């Protein structure tokens, strides 16, 4: 399972301020992020229901590493609407470099591909939380990651995610929500698919963070 | 065991009490039992093979088990089945408990992944397990060699379908450099097993690893490819016996 909230920032100066804020909150160094995400869908005859799988190639490593990712449906049931965080099943598996060839041979087709470039923080705060701030880029030619261009120039995606089990997801939801509150002066995160605007305090908060590198308490 | 065998083995096998496995992956050859024409594999042959290993001072260490699964595509129109891989195989190996291997024999593709890939395949529902074979038995230490002798049985049955043997040479990972010593070991093994006058012999047909993009340095992906090929040879062998009967 995975709990997540997203945000779209419209001003790159906020990204720099956000980085300073995250550095202070997380207590860990940022890591660079450069991931080629290949989304495959089953061909027309394969499977009684269509299926989708994502192959992630981490280009930031000296030797690219591959991960197979399946994202399942969102948690359903009474009270789910009241949960401020999206909870859905997710399974990941590291794989060797032949993984794309394998899935093509099995009858999967390329649906779309993206290149995510940005930074990421991994830290423990009530749950193992990952924060990524990234631009989403599309490739003009097949698999040409060196020629990627932003899907929406000037807009970054902020994602806060944490793994959970069916037994502890309530605690993880609380941890993610609590962490997101610390970002509130600068940005407001919501469930994926729910649009948000720029918070009124963003400009002042960003200016404060930029002026003294985050020493001022927001 | 005769004095002659002792002498030859000491040339090949270093009886080093402090022997430890290579820090890289030691290489192995997987053999399958080929019955003579008109005979079939049975548990008596398996017992004789195990006794033969012990007779050449193989020290029994414990059990081992590998599983090979045939996956079939779930198709809305069976008439289009030719568009999909004929053999899509998944393998779990005892020396890599957190890994899973996929092999597409006709496409010459091998993949190593975390064992969670099995859960992903279940969720995708595009391919499902059709039949699984267990390779299981005992492993033996013989100086710098490790031998595994095992029966091949369907996962929900005790019907013996075959016998396999793994010969692993611990100090070396290079296929090329190990060729001579592996062949010398096997010659000695053949000599020992032939004295039991069993109706068949062990065969090793080495796959062309380079077709799968695998290098000279041995890995568990090489083992997965060997098990795929051994299984197809076993199946062909069983079918040949059945054809002969008919």
């Amino acid at each position: 399972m995975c709990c997540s909230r997203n945000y779209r920032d419209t001003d790159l100066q906020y990204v720099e301020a956000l980085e300073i804020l995250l550095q202070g909150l997380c207590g860990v160094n940022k890591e660079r992020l450069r991931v080629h995400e290949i989304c495959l869908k089953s061909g027309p005859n394969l499977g009684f229901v269509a299926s989708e799988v994502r192959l992630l190639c981490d280009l930031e490593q000296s030797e690219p590493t591959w991960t197979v990712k399946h994202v399942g449906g969102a948690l359903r049931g009474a009270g789910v609407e009241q949960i401020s965080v999206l909870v859905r099943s997710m399974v990941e598996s590291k794989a060797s470099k032949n993984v794309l060839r394998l899935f093509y041979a099995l009858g999967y087709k390329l649906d779309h591909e993206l290149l995510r470039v940005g930074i990421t923080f991994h830290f423990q705060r009530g749950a193992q939380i990952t924060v990524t701030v990234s631009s989403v880029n599309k490739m003009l030619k097949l698999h040409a990651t060196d020629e990627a261009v932003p899907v929406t120039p000037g807009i970054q995606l902020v994602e806060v995610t944490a793994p959970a089990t069916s037994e502890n997801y309530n605690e993880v939801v609380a941890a993610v929500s609590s962490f997101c509150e610390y970002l509130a002066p600068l940005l407001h995160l919501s469930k994926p698919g729910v649009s948000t605007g720029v918070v009124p305090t963003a400009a002042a908060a960003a200016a404060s963070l930029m002026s003294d590198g985050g020493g001022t308490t927001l | 065991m005769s004095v002659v065998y002792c002498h030859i083995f000491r040339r090949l096998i270093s009886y080093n009490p402090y022997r430890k496995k290579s820090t890289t992956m030691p290489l192995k050859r997987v053999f399958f039992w080929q019955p003579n024409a008109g005979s079939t594999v049975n548990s008596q042959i398996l017992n004789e093979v195990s006794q033969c290993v012990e007779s050449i001072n193989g020290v029994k260490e414990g059990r081992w088990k590998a599983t090979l699964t045939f996956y079939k595509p779930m198709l809305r129109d069976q008439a289009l089945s030719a568009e999909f891989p004929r053999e899509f195989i998944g393998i779990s190996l005892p020396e890599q408990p957190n890994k899973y291997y996929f092999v597409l024999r006709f496409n010459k593709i091998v993949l190593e992944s975390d064992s969670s890939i099995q859960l992903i395949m279940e969720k995708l529902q595009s391919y499902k397990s059709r039949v699984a074979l267990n390779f299981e038995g005992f492993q033996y230490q013989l100086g710098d060699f490790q031998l595994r002798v095992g029966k091949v049985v369907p996962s929900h049955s005790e019907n013996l379908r075959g016998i396999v043997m793994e010969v692993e040479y611990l100090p070396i990972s290079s296929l090329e450099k190990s060729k001579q010593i592996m062949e010398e070991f096997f010659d000695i093994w053949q000599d020992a097993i032939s004295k039991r006058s069993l109706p068949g012999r062990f065969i090793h047909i080495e796959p062309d690893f380079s077709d799968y993009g695998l290098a000279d340095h041995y890995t568990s992906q090489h083992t997965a490819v060997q098990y795929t090929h051994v299984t197809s040879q076993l199946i062909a062998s069983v079918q040949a016996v059945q054809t002969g009967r008919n």
Side-chain angles (χ1 to χ4, degrees), chain A residues 3-22:
Chain A
C3 304
S4 63
R5 266 187 177 179
N6 292 358
Y7 172 73
R8 290 176 185 269
D9 193 345
T10 58
D11 193 328
L12 282 175
Q13 82 167 38
Y14 292 171
V15 174
E16 206 173 328
L18 177 61
E19 200 176 309
I20 294 170
L21 178 59
L22 287 171

Side-chain angles (χ1 to χ4, degrees), chain B residues 8-15 56 142-145 181 185:
Chain B
I8 293 169
F9 264 121
R10 285 200 178 101
R11 248 188 346 105
L12 286 178
I13 301 164
S14 54
Y15 287 98
I56 55 173
L142 195 64
D144 283 337
F145 290 85
I181 195 162
F185 178 91

Side-chain angles (χ1 to χ4, degrees), chain A residues 44-53 68 70 91-96 98-99 101-103 105-108, chain B residues 73-77 80 84-85 88 102 104 107-114 116-117 119-120 123-124 126-127:
Chain A
N45 190 40
L46 182 61
F48 298 125
V49 291
S51 58
E52 187 178 300
V53 65
V68 182
H70 179 267
V91 186
E92 290 187 341
S93 170
K94 292 260 180 270
S96 54
N98 266 335
V99 65
R101 277 186 68 210
L102 180 99
F103 274 97
L106 292 179
Y108 280 81
Chain B
M74 305 308 291
L75 302 177
R76 295 168 212 180
D77 181 357
L80 299 175
F84 296 89
F88 175 35
F102 282 128
L104 289 172
N107 304 76
K108 300 294 184 230
I109 296 174
V110 59
L111 182 85
E112 177 180 271
S113 58
D114 292 343
S116 52
I117 195 78
L119 182 54
I120 292 178
K123 288 184 176 290
L124 290 175
S126 51
Y127 284 81

Side-chain angles (χ1 to χ4, degrees), chain B residues 32-51:
Chain B
F32 70 97
W33 181 260
Q34 172 74 65
N36 291 341
S39 67
T40 55
V41 69
N42 58 61
S43 54
Q44 181 56 34
I45 295 173
L46 182 61
N47 291 338
E48 292 276 351
V49 170
S50 302
Q51 285 168 22

Side-chain angles (χ1 to χ4, degrees), chain B residues 179-192:
Chain B
K179 231 177 225 177
Q180 186 182 350
I181 195 162
M182 290 293 265
E183 281 163 13
E184 285 180 1
F185 178 91
F186 189 66
D187 287 344
I188 294 168
W189 164 259
Q190 282 287 72
D191 226 26

